[in-house]
Amino acid sequence: MPFRLSSVLLTLASILVYPSVIATAVLYLYPLFFGCEFPQVRPSQADCHLLNYTSDSTATSATSKPSSLAPFRLLAFGDPQLEGDTSLPEYSQTPIFPSIARLEGIYAHAKQQEWPALQNDLNDFAIDFWDDVKTLGWSYRKRLDLWGNDLYLAHQYRTLHWWLQPTHTVVLGDLLGSQWIEDDEFERRADRYWNRVFRHGKRVDDEMANGRGNAEVLAADSEWSRRIINVPGNHDVGYAGDMTRERLARYEQAFGKANWDVTFSLPSDGAGCSRETPSVRLVALNSMNLDSPVFSPELQTQTYEYINSLIRRSNSAASSDPAKTLTLVLTHIPLYKPVGVCTDEEYFTYHNEWEGGGIKEQNHLSREASRTVLEGVLGLPSNPLSLQSGASHRASLILTGHDHEGCSTYHYLNTSDPYSENAWNTVAFTDLTRGSHVGDPSTHALKDLVMSDDTPGVREETLRSMMGEYGGQAGLVSAWYDNEAGWQVEVGSCDAGVQHWWWGVHVLDLIFVSCLTLGCLTWPIDKMREYRRYRETKRREERRRRELRRRSKSRGKSLTSTPSYVKNSTSMKMSGNAKGGSAGSTRGRSRGSTREMETPSGSIRKRRQEVDVARD
């Protein structure tokens, strides 16, 4: 049977069609298959603040049926860290094949017939040329890896944003992969960030992020669902010892202001609700220069001035109930934690004195800087008088990045000694939810103390990185106001899977589509070749049939014709009979008959010989 390429390709495509379709469906609908959704509301008397509206529409009337979706839904990503292409040959100062420059020396030695030097040059040229080939291959592999990584990150944002419909989106620092890159490389990475990874996302305008605490009604501006709230990280502006005015300026120009806040009030017509409308305050805080020493004291002063402005604005609204306002702090460096609570431990390194002596690297904020965030930014009470008077502490949540492994903790105030250095303690949040604390014999007593309304505290969620090697995780934060219990905040997550899964599915799809396309293209060609072979076979058979008919006709003609010697014998017989007369004796006829019988027997033998010769 002749080989048909189209049959092989279409057979392979038919084998791959089901795995390809199933894998692609799982990849592009992974929130559905993995059960990813924002934590749903558990309302009691919150109907007036749980109206049916989405991120792209305004709220309906208060008589509408309450929605199971929280009015505030935050999609959070951590540490995308877009790598750069400065290592590629086209962006370097050296040519792609620097070994080609050796050809000039080889030609000169060959012209002067300096054979030992020529041999050495040829050996060096072969080694350098092979190194150039490997470098070029690595550069193209790196280029493909960068392109695929961007599409993988974009897949997460596009799929979750389409499926979950968040009201807001935040990226918690380390947007890029290095703070040491030049301005042109910074611009290239920023362009990839906006036009490839977070395509259709919008930068928060400077007028909105003016640092004066703008106030809006939640869902009144549908553009917030497309805006990306960016938080500066160490790979964006540097640590405290690296941050310069130029690095901070180019970051703010590309991604938005470093310190700002905005307040969203929940939509309601007031029916069945309290007079004071609950609100959500988002605080984007640059935590990169909260600790000292710093390279630029001026930039650190600006950050602390912004924190003081937050405190002043909070105090000016002292007449309002602080429990009505939910504060979400969005920053990069996690707060201080003791050893063993999270993957990263407390760690500080510093530059040399001639480099400024500032902070070179840190895993957590110091105790002092953490207390600034807890008591200053969040306004959690640390005064024993306010605690004894029963003052309620503010509902709040801290979202951080930096620790790629992620961590969930709870910070609470030691009310027995609030002025000590170790006044704020930290435990793993999972230990509280599971009802156990490793190493503490009084686990239930600790849980009752930490979760008591009289103990100020706040939950901190350090998001796992959205990079492929960490599973492509995204944080899902739901917040709603309950008239009985106050603000309720739930945090979930959704994993897209490692980047190898994304690559494998697309390679499988590429093979399937290639086999199907090439099979369909080669099918007419194979059919034409098969038709030609069929026509050629028919022509050969027709020629063979014609030849057989010609030979059959020739044999039939020679069998039906009378040989000449038979005719001569017959004529001689007839002439003899005529001479003998009709009255011959019986004996004479008998002899004549005998002669007549002898003559045909010899003719028959000769005829058979002629037929045999003709056949041969």
Side-chain angles (χ1 to χ4, degrees), residues 241-311:
D242 309 327
M243 187 188 304
T244 63
R245 177 177 292 275
E246 291 75 18
R247 289 195 177 112
L248 183 60
R250 72 181 185 182
Y251 167 84
E252 292 186 333
Q253 182 179 2
F255 302 108
K257 293 295 184 179
N259 293 305
W260 62 281
D261 62 287
V262 61
T263 301
F264 298 97
S265 59
L266 295 186
S268 172
D269 65 353
C273 298
S274 58
R275 295 181 178 180
E276 189 171 352
T277 303
S279 59
V280 180
R281 182 174 66 168
L282 297 180
V283 179
L285 178 64
N286 179 17
S287 57
M288 302 312 305
N289 55 2
L290 290 180
D291 283 304
S292 297
V294 298
F295 181 85
S296 175
E298 180 182 359
L299 296 179
Q300 186 183 50
T301 301
Q302 293 177 2
T303 299
Y304 276 95
E305 286 180 352
Y306 169 71
I307 294 176
N308 291 331
S309 69
L310 282 176
I311 298 174

Side-chain angles (χ1 to χ4, degrees), residues 77 80 157 171 192-194 196-201 228 466:
F77 297 103
Y157 168 70
V171 182
R192 288 165 47 202
Y193 182 89
W194 288 114
R196 185 180 293 173
V197 177
F198 292 95
R199 190 179 180 184
H200 304 307
I228 307 296
M466 69 180 299

Side-chain angles (χ1 to χ4, degrees), residues 322 325-327 329 335 370 373-375 378-382 387 391-398 409-415 423-427 429 432 446-461 487 489:
T325 301
L326 170 65
T327 302
V329 177
L335 273 61
S370 300
V373 175
L374 294 171
E375 299 177 5
L378 294 178
L380 296 179
S382 60
L387 295 175
S392 59
H393 57 273
R394 296 170 179 173
S396 52
L397 175 68
I398 302 175
T409 56
Y410 190 84
H411 305 273
Y412 66 96
L413 180 66
N414 182 7
T415 55
W424 286 94
N425 298 328
T426 305
V427 295
F429 190 78
L432 298 178
L446 177 64
K447 181 180 179 181
D448 294 339
L449 172 64
V450 172
M451 305 305 292
S452 172
D453 292 338
D454 296 331
T455 303
V458 59
R459 180 180 178 181
E460 178 188 358
E461 283 292 328
W487 273 106
V489 181

Side-chain angles (χ1 to χ4, degrees), residues 53 55 178 285 309 437 464 510 534:
Y53 68 91
S55 59
S178 175
L285 178 64
S309 69
H437 182 57
R464 189 177 175 91
L510 179 62
Y534 171 76

Side-chain angles (χ1 to χ4, degrees), residues 431 434 436-441 443 446:
D431 293 341
R434 294 172 183 170
S436 62
H437 182 57
V438 179
D440 196 326
T443 55
L446 177 64

Side-chain angles (χ1 to χ4, degrees), residues 551 555 558-559 608-616:
R551 293 181 178 181
R555 291 196 298 269
S558 38
L559 289 173
R608 289 177 177 174
Q609 293 177 358
E610 291 179 359
V611 172
D612 293 338
V613 172
R615 288 179 177 177
D616 295 337

Side-chain angles (χ1 to χ4, degrees), residues 331-344:
T331 190
H332 182 65
I333 300 182
L335 273 61
Y336 171 81
K337 301 173 183 63
V339 177
V341 176
C342 295
T343 300
D344 286 348

